[in-house]
Amino acid sequence: MKFGFIFGAASDTGQLRDINQDSYLTAPGLAIVADGMGGHSGGEIASAIAVQTMQSLLADRAAEHRSLQSLTEAVRIANREILTEAATDGTLQGMGTTVCALSAIDSASGLRLGLINVGDSRAYRFYDGELEQITEDHSLVEVLVRQGRLTPEEAQVHPQRNIVTRALGVGDQVEVDRFEVAAQLGTRYLLCSDGLFNEISDDQIATILAAVTDPDEATRTLVNAANDHGGRDNITAVIVDVVSSDEAEAAWAKSSDGAAIGTASPSRDSDRPASGADDGRRWWQRR
Ligand code: MN
């Protein structure tokens, strides 16, 4: 089946952080959200490397030449790029990033959607009023929720909610979760960093996705809602509306520039010391 994407994207530093370490990309047939971690400028650099590496490996390929395997390979190459960059500069040591990406792919069943995820950014599917989280968070609080030791509501405010169990930039190997789904017209996908879902509930997300048709406006509404609730972290939301290929072409013809890449927002206060950017996030390796 022929289909296309219409995108919306918004990213904000939030109310407490000094800089925005999230990065995102929207390009034909491809959307990525990456949430960087590490003090000084490490986090922003790691998330930017992840997005740019995947863009250079995937964005020029037609969907017919993308697969879950090529998405996974792009994540692994991005991981090595981050490790290499961190090794060249002591101040970047320990930088890392999550990555969550949605792409049109070729599969045994024809053109479909491929999703990959590492870390605690999320992909949701919204269809017919129902919101469903597709990805599983690779985080300590997710482990505790699964063990029944925390409720999802307690996880949102848990002091250790920043601890991730998987990320790029941590080791030579990176385990990548992969999902393949049918490209159903009228489906809306949301990719987001934890700065969104730690502030607002899935019900609030669903209400906004249902109420605001324009995808750009919907992402801005989501980010504003997270900021209104406190904005304790950087907030990024990317919406992918699955539409007919004709509808997608018309929308792309109207937009001036092809690919959008961010972080969209400048430093809230660039005079503050760079160490203020350290959000205390750290790795917690499962053995
Ligand atoms: Mn975050």
Side-chain angles (χ1 to χ4, degrees), residues 22 35 193-195 233-234 281:
D22 292 354
D35 177 349
S193 60
D194 64 335
D233 192 5
N234 305 147
R281 179 171 284 208

Side-chain angles (χ1 to χ4, degrees), residues 221-279:
T221 307
L222 288 166
V223 167
N224 289 343
N227 262 327
D228 289 346
H229 191 268
R232 294 166 295 174
D233 192 5
N234 305 147
I235 310 151
T236 299
V238 170
I239 285 177
V240 180
D241 282 335
V242 182
V243 298
S244 71
S245 47
D246 287 350
E247 215 180 318
E249 269 168 40
W252 279 89
K254 268 196 294 181
S255 68
S256 50
D257 51 353
I261 189 163
T263 61
S265 45
S267 281
R268 177 164 292 269
D269 181 356
S270 53
D271 290 326
R272 285 195 216 167
S275 59
D278 190 344
D279 64 1

